[in-house]
Amino acid sequence: MEYQWIKNKRYKNVSLRIKDGQIIVTSPVQTSKEFVDTFVNQHTHWIQKQLAAYEAIPRIRPGMTLFILERPYKVVMGDVCAINLDKETITIDGNEKHWQVLLKEIAQNQITPRFHQWEQAMGYSNLTIRYGYYASKWGSCRKDMGVIALSTKLLFVDWEEVDSVIVHELCHMKYPNHSQAFYQEVLDWMPNYWEVHKHLIHHCIPVLEKKG
Ligand SMILES: [Zn+2]
């Protein structure tokens, strides 16, 4: 198995990770090639599982149909990254930064009104909403600052699943923990929360195809 090997005197142990479909081994400077080879071979099963998961991530590329909040859009290549609601097209320029900016803009236009509906219904006001691409979470809540952050990954799931994250984060304004009382509050607002959550966490979020 081919891998990238990074030696550094700061590293105390040999460790293994998968980044962008590449196997990366980090080790202390004195580690031998034999040791690393054996180490990698011992983890073949884990590596193959990780690589398969990476391969399974849908890539956003021209010609495909991309669902944004349950609506289908045709993906086309162009000079600017943009969404056209009337023509139901999304233009990509292959630039990851531009793509992230566009996702934040779409989330701001489409998810924020929904957020304010829930905010009002649940008796809150003047909360600040922020968006970002958070790889390992759907949202977060800073009760003291009145700030709720939502991941732009939510654009690729269904509305009901977006609701489940909004409700979850808004309930943190009352309970800044995951106590039983917190989940009771969540279930009071969304009785099928767990059912929806189960679907949410199994979504494969598409990513922009890397150039080159
Ligand atoms: Zn939480």
Side-chain angles (χ1 to χ4, degrees), residues 72-145:
Y73 295 86
K74 195 89 188 158
V75 177
V76 294
M77 195 53 125
D79 296 331
V80 280
C81 212
I83 186 168
N84 188 317
L85 299 174
D86 298 328
K87 289 186 182 161
E88 296 182 326
T89 57
I90 284 189
T91 310
I92 55 170
D93 62 1
N95 181 301
E96 180 67 32
K97 265 196 192 135
H98 297 169
W99 176 241
Q100 295 299 336
V101 170
L102 178 67
L103 291 183
K104 278 192 195 178
E105 201 180 293
I106 301 171
Q108 188 64 51
N109 289 335
Q110 300 197 26
I111 295 179
T112 300
R114 187 85 155 202
F115 175 81
H116 287 312
Q117 281 173 17
W118 277 108
E119 183 188 20
Q120 208 178 16
M122 291 171 69
Y124 297 104
S125 57
N126 299 319
L127 296 178
T128 303
I129 181 155
R130 286 189 190 141
Y131 296 98
Y133 188 90
Y134 313 121
S136 58
K137 61 183 180 187
W138 296 100
S140 63
C141 174
R142 283 292 305 267
K143 180 174 154 57
D144 53 337
M145 295 166 68

Side-chain angles (χ1 to χ4, degrees), residues 137-195:
K137 61 183 180 187
W138 296 100
S140 63
C141 174
R142 283 292 305 267
K143 180 174 154 57
D144 53 337
M145 295 166 68
V147 175
I148 284 176
L150 297 176
S151 174
T152 51
K153 289 189 299 183
L154 289 172
L155 292 173
F156 305 106
V157 306
D158 296 350
W159 274 114
E160 200 177 33
E161 291 152 16
V162 175
D163 287 340
S164 75
V165 175
I166 293 175
V167 168
H168 180 117
E169 297 311 333
L170 281 170
C171 287
H172 276 318
M173 294 304 294
K174 196 164 168 185
Y175 301 97
N177 52 46
H178 289 116
S179 62
Q180 212 177 337
F182 165 79
Y183 280 115
Q184 192 50 57
E185 177 84 1
V186 170
L187 289 170
D188 285 346
W189 287 105
M190 195 173 198
N192 63 342
Y193 176 79
W194 288 117
E195 180 65 27

Side-chain angles (χ1 to χ4, degrees), residues 7-102:
K7 291 191 220 182
N8 193 303
K9 58 176 186 288
R10 285 182 298 123
Y11 299 138
K12 295 205 162 53
N13 302 303
V14 178
S15 79
L16 187 62
R17 67 193 155 99
I18 308 289
K19 191 172 180 266
D20 296 334
Q22 303 289 318
I23 305 165
I24 299 170
V25 181
T26 51
S27 79
V29 182
Q30 67 274 18
T31 312
S32 71
K33 171 103 170 91
E34 288 75 17
F35 187 91
V36 174
D37 280 341
T38 309
F39 186 80
V40 168
N41 284 331
Q42 279 166 347
H43 292 86
T44 306
H45 185 69
W46 180 84
I47 292 169
Q48 277 165 350
K49 250 174 79 178
Q50 301 296 314
L51 290 177
Y54 177 78
E55 289 302 320
I57 298 170
R59 310 289 146 162
I60 299 165
R61 47 170 74 106
M64 79 179 293
T65 299
L66 185 64
F67 281 83
I68 301 271
L69 295 166
E70 300 184 26
R71 273 186 68 179
Y73 295 86
K74 195 89 188 158
V75 177
V76 294
M77 195 53 125
D79 296 331
V80 280
C81 212
I83 186 168
N84 188 317
L85 299 174
D86 298 328
K87 289 186 182 161
E88 296 182 326
T89 57
I90 284 189
T91 310
I92 55 170
D93 62 1
N95 181 301
E96 180 67 32
K97 265 196 192 135
H98 297 169
W99 176 241
Q100 295 299 336
V101 170
L102 178 67

